[in-house]
Amino acid sequence: MEVKTYTFTPHGDDRGQLIALEEYKDFPFSVKRVYYIYDTLAGVVRGHHAHKCLKQILICVHGSCKIHLDDGHDTAEVLLDTPNKGLFIANDMWREMYDFSPDAVLMVLASELYDESDYIRDYDEFKKFVASKESEK
Ligand code: T46
């Protein structure tokens, strides 16, 4: 399966690093919401869902974590361990986040405001969603 990652350019100088992200230039959507996940306990797996519409960029701005992706047919694992790497996750992708380092801060840029009705939290429902989208093509 195709995994879309971005390598962002740090504006480094003798003071340190700065990364700037601009919508449609550095990633392909407009941001309506930013959230971040931190203080994740050892062994915790978050996520376990897909979305009906939401697009997101995940950036582990400190520490590291892994992302399990499932498009309904294939799976992939992505390590996020540097603040200049972004992972694009389309709506129709089942995701789980795990192996958080104790210092991990996972920042997410989201294309929509928070909407619980956009979540697909049941895996069988997700498979049906994927199948219905494929039958429309
Ligand atoms: C996703 C992965 C990568 C809010 O009130 N507003 C928000 O914007 C978000 C994202 C969550 N919440 C509340 C809802 C729950 O009571 O925060 C609590 C934890 O959310 P959730 O269990 O959905 O968190 P994760 O880590 O399982 O999933 C999150 C996002 O929800 C999801 O869209 O793709 O991160």
Side-chain angles (χ1 to χ4, degrees), residues 33 35 37 46-49 51 54 56 58 89 95 97 106 108 114 116 119 121:
R33 175 168 55 107
Y35 60 91
I37 294 167
R46 302 189 65 114
H48 301 282
H49 59 254
H51 282 276
L54 188 69
Q56 301 188 109
L58 276 60
I89 305 187
R95 80 286 315 265
M97 305 88 78
L106 178 62
V108 182
Y114 179 69
E116 181 58 37
Y119 284 71
R121 294 192 181 274

Side-chain angles (χ1 to χ4, degrees), residues 67-128:
I67 315 295
H68 169 85
L69 296 173
D70 179 341
D71 66 5
H73 300 288
D74 299 312
T75 65
E77 314 297 322
V78 181
L79 172 67
L80 296 178
D81 61 351
T82 171
N84 74 335
K85 180 174 181 179
L87 170 65
F88 176 77
I89 305 187
N91 58 312
D92 53 355
M93 192 73 76
W94 188 264
R95 80 286 315 265
E96 296 170 14
M97 305 88 78
Y98 63 102
D99 270 5
F100 287 84
S101 62
D103 58 350
V105 181
L106 178 62
M107 184 177 77
V108 182
L109 313 180
S111 65
E112 307 297 334
L113 300 179
Y114 179 69
D115 177 6
E116 181 58 37
S117 70
D118 190 64
Y119 284 71
I120 305 171
R121 294 192 181 274
D122 178 84
Y123 189 75
D124 290 336
E125 191 190 327
F126 164 66
K127 294 279 283 185
K128 285 181 196 157

